[in-house]
């Protein structure tokens, strides 16, 4: 284990402890649509998916999360909610044995399936983004340095949600990003891991438009940052190895589901991912 990685791990642990002790209040809440554009590899059909995220902004810290996933996480950490989730999981496998319905689709129809598992805590004092994500049910956590982002400002402007925004660009972890930030909103933050500009990032797009974040709602607030529900079931890892593992799981989902269920569920390739999209970060291919 390298010294740099050990320091990153210790930083993540210190962030978790600080979170438990402090829980700073957010004074701004921003809702973003995350828009993904890709194609089905079998039919060539264009596909667009839209997921909603919330960014809570507190002094020197922020939290970015999927509200549907947060709801399921909160149930999982409540005894009655946990029992309900366990029953729905059992029912989904019974339904599979009866009708061959995908267990995950069954839970999704009931509103009991997490959407985007990704969530992150930015700590601007420490210069670290703590990322939580999952791969086929296993939970992982890893640090990202905020300093990885280096912006180039331009003179281009446009209006987003009534705010005059300035264009900035950066190459970040394999993709070039074009973002519009509002100097009038003096918050050096934005969706996902994008941050560090003299104003709130209102819109961000990858250069091929495969991903786009668009702010849809801004509101003042005075509320604690949401609990990331940290527990001892998270594996501590690094960013690149995690993305490589998650990519393999996504492309070989049928085999992974069969292994997870001891062969009880065998979808025979029907659940393997057939989209052309890649992750927000693509440098794991290098």
């Amino acid at each position: 284990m390298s010294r740099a990685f050990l320091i990153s791990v210790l930083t993540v642990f210190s962030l978790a402890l600080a979170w438990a002790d402090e829980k700073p209040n957010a004074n701004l809440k921003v809702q973003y649509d995350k828009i993904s554009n890709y194609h089905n590899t079998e039919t060539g059909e264009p596909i667009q998916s839209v997921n909603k995220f919330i960014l809570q902004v507190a002094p020197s810290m922020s939290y970015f999360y999927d509200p549907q996933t947060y709801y399921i996480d909160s149930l999982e950490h409540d005894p009655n909610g946990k029992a309900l989730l366990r029953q729905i999981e059992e029912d989904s496998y019974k339904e599979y044995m009866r009708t061959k319905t995908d267990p995950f689709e069954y839970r999704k129809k009931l509103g009991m399936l997490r959407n985007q598992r990704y969530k992150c805590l930015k700590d601007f004092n420490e210069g670290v983004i703590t990322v939580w994500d999952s791969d086929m049910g296993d939970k992982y956590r890893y640090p990202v340095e905020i300093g990885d982002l280096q912006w180039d400002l331009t003179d281009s402007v446009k209006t987003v949600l009534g705010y005059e925004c300035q264009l900035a660009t950066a190459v970040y972890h394999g993709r070039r990003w074009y973002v519009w930030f509002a100097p009038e909103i003096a918050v050096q933050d934005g969706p996902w891991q994008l941050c560090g500009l003299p104003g709130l990032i209102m819109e961000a797009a990858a250069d091929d438009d495969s991903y786009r974040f668009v702010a849809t709602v801004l509101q003042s607030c005075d509320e604690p940052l949401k609990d990331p529900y940290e527990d001892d079931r998270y594996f501590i890892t690094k960013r690149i190895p995690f993305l490589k593992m998650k990519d393999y799981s996504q492309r070989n989902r049928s085999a992974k589901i069969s292994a997870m269920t001891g062969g009880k569920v065998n979808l025979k390739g029907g659940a393997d991912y057939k989209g052309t999209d890649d992750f927000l970060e693509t440098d794991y291919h290098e």
Side-chain angles (χ1 to χ4, degrees):
M1 181 182 295
S2 69
R3 180 175 180 274
F5 181 55
L6 178 58
I7 291 173
S8 296
V9 169
L10 292 175
T11 299
V12 170
F13 275 122
S14 67
L15 286 173
L17 292 173
W19 186 281
D21 291 338
E22 297 177 9
K23 273 198 173 181
N25 272 21
N27 50 36
L28 176 66
K29 191 186 316 187
V30 189
Q31 180 174 297
Y32 290 95
D33 281 351
K34 176 192 174 189
I35 304 165
S36 307
N37 296 298
Y38 52 100
H39 292 80
N40 184 297
T41 57
E42 291 187 338
T43 66
E45 177 188 5
I47 300 170
Q48 182 177 90
S49 66
V50 180
N51 296 100
K52 296 188 182 302
F53 279 88
I54 300 293
L55 175 69
Q56 288 181 299
V57 182
S60 75
M61 192 173 283
S62 69
Y63 185 50
F64 183 73
Y65 65 96
D66 179 314
Q68 173 68 11
T69 297
Y70 174 79
Y71 171 66
I72 304 296
D73 286 345
S74 66
L75 287 178
E76 193 175 59
H77 285 76
D78 173 82
N80 293 331
K82 191 171 185 177
L84 173 63
L85 291 174
R86 187 183 303 114
Q87 184 60 56
I88 290 173
E89 182 178 3
E90 292 176 1
D91 291 346
S92 71
Y93 288 124
K94 289 178 182 177
E95 186 67 13
Y96 167 77
M97 298 302 292
R98 190 175 69 86
T99 66
K100 301 302 180 184
T101 299
D102 186 325
F104 297 99
E105 286 298 320
Y106 177 89
R107 290 177 231 172
K108 184 177 181 180
K109 288 179 181 178
L110 294 177
M112 290 297 177
L113 187 68
R114 292 174 176 87
N115 288 330
Q116 300 284 300
R117 307 297 186 94
Y118 176 96
K119 52 191 176 185
C120 74
L121 169 70
K122 300 188 188 87
D123 188 321
F124 293 99
N125 287 338
E126 297 291 336
V128 174
I129 304 171
T130 302
V131 173
W132 291 268
D133 209 337
S134 69
D135 175 54
M136 299 297 289
D138 289 330
K139 301 175 183 179
Y140 295 85
R141 180 184 62 195
Y142 58 87
V144 178
E145 296 293 326
I146 288 178
D148 288 354
L149 260 170
Q150 301 294 326
W151 295 103
D152 294 317
L153 303 184
T154 78
D155 295 328
S156 298
V157 296
K158 78 171 184 176
T159 301
V160 181
L161 287 183
Y163 292 91
E164 184 176 277
C165 297
Q166 183 177 350
L167 175 65
T169 68
V171 176
Y172 182 65
H173 294 173
R175 291 187 187 272
R176 176 170 289 279
W177 287 90
Y178 296 84
V179 309
W180 299 90
F181 68 95
E184 186 178 343
I185 306 174
V187 173
Q188 296 187 27
D189 212 337
W192 181 51
Q193 293 162 199
L194 303 175
C195 60
L197 286 163
L200 179 69
I201 296 173
M202 303 287 284
E203 188 173 324
D207 56 0
D208 61 355
D209 206 36
S210 55
Y211 288 104
R212 181 179 293 270
F213 292 96
V214 180
T216 57
V217 179
L218 278 73
Q219 63 183 96
S220 298
C221 64
D222 183 14
E223 61 187 29
L225 293 182
K226 296 292 187 184
D227 193 334
Y229 292 111
E230 180 66 272
D231 56 41
D232 59 4
R233 292 176 295 169
Y234 280 88
F235 296 101
I236 297 174
T237 186
K238 295 181 180 180
R239 183 179 65 87
I240 294 293
F242 172 76
L243 293 175
K244 287 183 176 181
M245 175 181 61
K246 189 168 184 175
D247 177 68
Y248 176 83
S249 296
Q250 182 169 271
R251 306 295 167 183
N252 299 274
R253 186 165 173 255
S254 298
K256 294 278 285 191
I257 290 174
S258 179
M260 288 168 58
T261 60
K264 293 180 181 178
V265 177
N266 185 359
L267 301 179
K268 297 181 179 179
D272 291 343
Y273 192 68
K274 298 179 176 63
T276 58
D277 56 315
D278 204 342
F279 299 133
L280 287 162
E281 300 157 285
T282 61
D283 55 343
Y284 71 95
H285 294 297
E286 299 172 1

